[in-house]
């Protein structure tokens, strides 16, 4: 099984560290990517790290991952609560998917309590800050190794 993992980030995560730091912290998305790359190296994973404010780009990356990846870590951000299209793309992906949220979405507005992505995800990590990405990568490495 491929040791390539896609780490996909949805809208407004490009503003991480600048937007609502009381909710999302002060780390930037570049900090998150650097931490993911370091951990991926330790775990023997290769990663492709992407962020987009455009739903279709996230869908295109999921389609691309179908051909090459052993797993996906996805923080769909606001698309979590709205995108049947991302759910459909993930349903066409045959390897593990871990959904990550920096904040605890269950302590926030009621509309954030529903996730379309969770209907497909093999695991969900919420409220652990940016550390959730590392935990997701560790879980995917375990799942990939278990299949090998």
């Amino acid at each position: 099984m491929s040791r390539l993992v896609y780490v996909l980030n949805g809208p407004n995560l490009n503003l991480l560290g600048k937007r609502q730091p009381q909710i999302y912290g002060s780390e930037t998305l570049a900090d998150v990517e650097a931490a993911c790359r370091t951990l991926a190296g330790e775990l023997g994973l290769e990663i492709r790290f992407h962020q987009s404010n455009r739903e279709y780009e996230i869908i295109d990356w999921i389609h691309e991952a179908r051909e090459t990846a052993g797993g996906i870590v996805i923080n769909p951000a606001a698309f979590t609560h709205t995108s049947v299209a991302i759910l459909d793309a993930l349903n066409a992906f045959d390897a593990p998917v871990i959904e990550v949220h920096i904040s605890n979405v269950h302590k926030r507005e009621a509309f954030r309590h529903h996730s379309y992505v969770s209907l497909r995800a093999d695991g969900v990590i919420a409220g652990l800050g940016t550390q959730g990405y590392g935990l997701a990568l560790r879980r995917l490495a375990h799942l990939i190794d278990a299949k090998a």
Side-chain angles (χ1 to χ4, degrees):
M1 176 175 255
S2 173
R3 295 192 69 78
L4 173 63
V5 172
Y6 276 59
V7 180
L8 303 178
N9 296 278
N12 299 310
L13 285 165
N14 55 305
L15 298 177
L16 195 61
K18 301 170 194 152
R19 172 183 167 245
Q20 297 176 289
Q22 70 280 11
I23 295 174
Y24 300 109
S26 58
E27 286 182 284
T28 66
L29 194 60
D31 296 332
V32 173
E33 181 176 0
C36 285
R37 290 195 181 283
T38 297
L39 180 58
E42 293 169 14
L43 297 171
L45 299 174
E46 178 188 349
I47 64 168
R48 296 222 175 111
F49 196 97
H50 298 292
Q51 185 278 328
S52 183
N53 296 321
R54 292 172 290 279
E55 184 179 38
Y56 77 89
E57 285 187 321
I58 294 168
I59 293 165
D60 286 347
W61 290 322
I62 295 167
H63 291 177
E64 183 181 294
R66 290 182 71 229
E67 305 300 320
T68 58
I72 293 175
V73 172
I74 185 166
N75 181 344
F79 291 143
T80 303
H81 323 292
T82 63
S83 184
V84 173
I86 289 174
L87 170 62
D88 286 348
L90 289 169
N91 280 334
F93 180 73
D94 290 331
V97 173
I98 306 295
E99 179 181 356
V100 172
H101 298 284
I102 295 167
S103 70
N104 181 352
V105 292
H106 303 290
K107 286 180 71 176
R108 299 184 64 196
E109 304 94 336
F111 74 86
R112 295 186 195 276
H113 300 175
H114 178 264
S115 168
Y116 284 102
V117 173
S118 291
L119 296 171
R120 166 58 181 88
D122 297 286
V124 179
I125 298 168
L128 300 181
T130 58
Q131 290 178 330
Y133 287 87
L135 295 169
L137 288 173
R138 288 183 189 283
R139 180 64 179 156
L140 282 179
H142 173 78
L143 293 171
I144 290 168
D145 290 344
K147 274 195 169 182

